[in-house]
Structures are given as C-alpha cells and as structure tokens.
Amino acid sequence: MSPHRIWIALAIVILSGCGGTSTSADAKAEKKNATSSGAVPHQRDADDVGRFIAGIPGAAGSPFTTLEATAAWKDHHQRLDEAWRKAETPLISKLQEFQKQELNDATLRTSDVFYPFSGPDSLMLVLWFPHSPTYVMVGLEPAGTLPGLSQFEKKDMSKYLAETRETVSSVLGRSFFVTHQMDRQFRGQVTDGLLLPILHLLVRRQNTILGFRYVRLDEQGQVVDRPASFGSPGPFPNLGVEIEFRADADQSTHTLYYFSANISDERLSKNKALLAYLSRLQGVTTLLKATSYMPHHANFSLIRDRILTSSAAVLQDDSGIPYRYFQTADWKTQLYGEYVRPYGSFRPLEQPDLRLAYGAGAKPLSLHVGYGYLKIASNLLLAQKLRK
C-alpha cells in the first residue's frame, strides 16, 4: 500500500475483524482518499535526531557528526548500549518469544493496533506487533516537536543527554512509563512532548524513520496537517504526530500516530472530532498495559465500551478492561501467567472472578510485564472476538 496509508482508512478495510476482510482494492483506495490529507514527507531529519538521542551513530551525512565526537555523547552511547543490553534478557527477548508463540496468527499479524493510555511506549508495539501496518497511540502528554541541530548545540550536552536517558529508563527497567515521571519530563522539562522518546525506542529496535509530520484531527475527525506551533482556539485540539518508519529486518513500512487527548468520559463525550475518529476504528487489536486501572472506573466507560465494540482482539494485563466484560458469547479468552492481586496502591481493584478463572488454569508466562515488574508474577489476557 501507499506509504501514507493512515489508520482511519485501514480500520475500515478490516471492518469485520476476525469475521472477514474486504478484498476490494478500489474500496480501500476510495476510503484512503476520503480520509487522508497527504503523504508524510520523506526526509532524514527525524531519523538523524532519533539516532542521536538513542545513542546510535548517525548515518553518512548526519549533521550530528561533530556532536557525536564529544565526550558527552560517547558516554551517552556507552550508557545506552549497556541499558539496552540489560533489558534484553528479562524484557525484550521474552516479549519477542511471546509474540512468536501467541501473537502470530494471521489476524493478529495483519491488524492495526490501538494503544490508549500509551504514553510514548512505541517499544511494546513493535515487539508484540511487528507486522502491523499501523499503530495509533493516545495519551495525555503533548506530542512534542523535533529539535534541530542548533537547539542541541545550545544545551549543556552532558546534562541534557543524561536527562534524555532517564526518560526511557522506566520502560527499559520496568516495562512501562511511570505517570508522575512523565509529568516531570515531557512537558517542557526535558522534552516538550513524546516525539523524541518515541523515536528513540523505534530506532533502537532497528527501524529507520522515513519521515514525520505534525497532524491534528479536524472537526470531522479526519487526520490533517498542522504547523508545529498550531494553537487551537477550541478545548479539544487533538494534536498529534504521524511517523512513517521502515523495519530494517524485512524492509516493511509502518505508520505510527500519537494523539494527545483526554479520554475520560467527561472529556471524550464532548470531543466530537476524536469520537468521529474512533468511530472508524473497527477490527483492530487493542493493547492495554499499565493503565493505572482507568478502564475499571465508571468515568472511563466510553473508551471501554468503544474498545469492546470495535476490537477484534484485546491484549491486556489486569489493569485493562475488567475480566467480566469478556465473559460473554462474543469473546474467546486465553489467560497467561499468574494473577496475584493488583500491585501497590491498586490493591483494592482485585478481581475475584479473574482469580477464579486463573484457578481453573492458564498458560505459563515466562516474561514479566506491567506493575510489580520482577517483584510479583505477571498476568496477560488475550481476548479474541468470535466469528458470527
């Protein structure tokens, strides 16, 4: 497909999810043209910045060659190499093993992925769903902008690079981004949003950034271009970024969207553009991990109901949608690991019915993921909507 395919068009293509897929090329082209405002411009600046931040030597002609020769960047490179090496065995290789064993059927391989409450966690997307054509992430944090060489040259490089390493330390060390840390890092303190950590995680996982653009949702919920400094007069700007990247391993091309939006009932019910966008989300795989148990609460019922209605599959830990919502004739569920109880301050959200289900049997889980990482046993649930 064209490199600038977008989530909305592809969501319509796979409308039937597990129940079937459209085979009409004309229909796909028509839907794409109706929802896309233009292609992502192919230029190397995002890849150059991503590699510099991720501690990976730049490609030939990189504008960061001089900065890479500094002691500060060489130290940054060595420290990140070590951090990623330490994350390989307990986290990365185990996630890949789970993907190959449990997430490798045709439907899951080809579906687009919706990841609400994501923060900048592009790592989990490309590890668990490496073949998916399109990823859509939604979080509270701003999308951010791409700095140029001159902006880096003005910084205390040793201090700044240390701070950028810290922005990804939690996902490498715990498998998730910590909310209060994101509040201290991604609102102008270290970066002005999530673009840089998203790029960092993508390039470290052997992807080449082909290009990006600043986007927003218009009143009809269509993805359109915007200036980097766009300021919406309304209460729901729905600002985001669109990133096109190529997997180095197989040269497949993928598109990732991140949108900054509050999806609590109070805000989502009034956000007509985002509601229109989400209404086109059909037949996708939804990922829910380390959500602060938001889908358990009544004031997140709108996004919970839309996930249940629109998803062909849901992969989650116990912080996702409560187990009882999958105990209908519509869903086939598979449990993994052990369900102990919610970790730390989330203990009151224990699910007795989920505990009983685990008592009846679950597949073993060799990886640790989510809250209580490496401290308590982890759990996952894969729910797939049955054909009708």
Side-chain angles (χ1 to χ4, degrees), residues 115 117 121 124 128 174-176 286-296 314-323 326 334-336 338-339 342 346 351 354 358 365 367-373 377-383:
Y115 191 3
F117 312 102
D121 187 15
M124 205 64 56
W128 265 345
R174 303 185 189 182
S175 80
F176 62 92
T286 296
L287 174 61
L288 296 165
K289 177 182 64 67
T291 70
S292 296
Y293 290 82
M294 296 301 182
H296 284 239
V314 177
L315 178 65
Q316 62 173 40
D317 61 19
D318 68 295
S319 77
I321 295 171
Y323 180 66
F326 296 107
Q334 176 62 58
L335 302 175
Y336 303 91
E338 299 177 41
Y339 179 66
F346 300 116
Q351 301 177 68
L354 183 57
Y358 267 90
L365 186 65
L367 62 87
H368 288 265
V369 68
Y371 299 130
Y373 180 75
S378 297
N379 65 82
L380 288 172
L381 178 151
L382 175 62

Side-chain angles (χ1 to χ4, degrees), residues 64-78:
F64 294 98
T65 301
T66 300
L67 287 180
E68 288 175 7
T70 64
W73 189 87
K74 290 179 179 178
D75 178 64
H76 179 65
H77 164 68
Q78 292 175 353

Side-chain angles (χ1 to χ4, degrees), residues 37-346:
S37 65
V40 172
H42 279 200
Q43 51 193 41
R44 61 177 293 172
D45 53 348
D47 191 65
D48 288 332
V49 171
R51 294 173 72 89
F52 179 75
I53 289 296
I56 300 174
S62 170
F64 294 98
T65 301
T66 300
L67 287 180
E68 288 175 7
T70 64
W73 189 87
K74 290 179 179 178
D75 178 64
H76 179 65
H77 164 68
Q78 292 175 353
R79 288 176 182 270
L80 279 177
D81 276 357
E82 179 64 13
W84 279 87
R85 185 193 64 77
K86 287 182 178 180
E88 180 64 31
T89 299
L91 179 64
I92 294 171
S93 64
K94 296 295 185 180
L95 291 169
Q96 292 175 312
E97 178 183 331
F98 183 80
Q99 185 276 323
K100 291 175 182 177
Q101 293 177 354
E102 304 295 337
L103 304 177
N104 213 20
D105 68 49
T107 300
L108 292 172
R109 283 174 62 92
T110 59
S111 69
D112 296 335
V113 182
F114 178 48
Y115 191 3
F117 312 102
S118 65
D121 187 15
S122 56
L123 177 65
M124 205 64 56
L125 289 175
V126 296
L127 288 174
W128 265 345
F129 305 101
H131 308 290
S132 295
T134 306
Y135 312 97
V136 175
M137 304 164 64
V138 177
L140 283 173
E141 296 75 25
T145 57
L146 189 75
L149 175 62
S150 62
Q151 291 169 274
F152 286 108
E153 290 175 330
K154 297 175 183 177
K155 296 181 181 295
D156 178 337
M157 197 54 57
S158 181
K159 177 176 181 291
Y160 176 70
L161 292 176
E163 290 173 338
T164 64
R165 289 194 300 275
E166 186 62 25
T167 65
V168 297
S169 64
S170 62
V171 73
L172 294 179
R174 303 185 189 182
S175 80
F176 62 92
F177 283 88
V178 179
T179 301
H180 68 82
Q181 290 180 359
M182 290 193 290
D183 287 340
R184 298 199 306 262
Q185 294 170 339
F186 299 134
R187 300 182 183 276
Q189 306 94 323
V190 180
T191 75
D192 62 356
L194 303 191
L195 178 58
L196 287 190
I198 289 173
L199 294 175
H200 177 154
L201 298 176
L202 288 177
V203 299
R204 269 284 172 172
R205 287 310 308 157
Q206 294 84 51
N207 295 290
T208 298
I209 311 301
L210 300 177
F212 89 106
R213 62 173 179 153
Y214 301 107
V215 297
R216 65 181 179 89
L217 299 179
D218 68 11
E219 293 180 357
Q220 290 73 44
Q222 311 288 2
V223 179
V224 297
D225 291 296
R226 65 170 174 94
S229 59
F230 178 84
S232 172
F236 304 106
N238 297 309
L239 303 184
V241 289
E242 177 184 359
I243 301 166
E244 187 177 328
F245 65 94
R246 183 179 62 233
D248 297 340
D250 63 6
Q251 299 297 293
S252 59
T253 303
H254 309 260
T255 301
L256 182 149
Y257 294 91
Y258 173 80
F259 290 105
S260 175
N262 185 325
I263 52 177
S264 68
D265 285 3
E266 180 183 5
R267 299 290 288 175
L268 182 57
S269 64
K270 300 172 185 176
N271 191 340
K272 304 304 181 185
L274 184 56
L275 285 171
Y277 180 79
L278 293 177
S279 72
R280 302 182 182 95
L281 184 151
Q282 298 291 331
V284 298
T285 298
T286 296
L287 174 61
L288 296 165
K289 177 182 64 67
T291 70
S292 296
Y293 290 82
M294 296 301 182
H296 284 239
H297 298 291
N299 60 332
F300 283 87
S301 63
L302 281 178
I303 190 64
R304 183 180 65 224
D305 292 346
R306 284 181 176 269
I307 290 169
L308 291 168
T309 300
S310 303
S311 301
V314 177
L315 178 65
Q316 62 173 40
D317 61 19
D318 68 295
S319 77
I321 295 171
Y323 180 66
R324 66 182 182 274
Y325 287 94
F326 296 107
Q327 294 307 290
T328 71
D330 295 331
W331 295 96
K332 172 187 175 183
T333 60
Q334 176 62 58
L335 302 175
Y336 303 91
E338 299 177 41
Y339 179 66
V340 180
R341 62 181 179 180
Y343 186 74
S345 62
F346 300 116

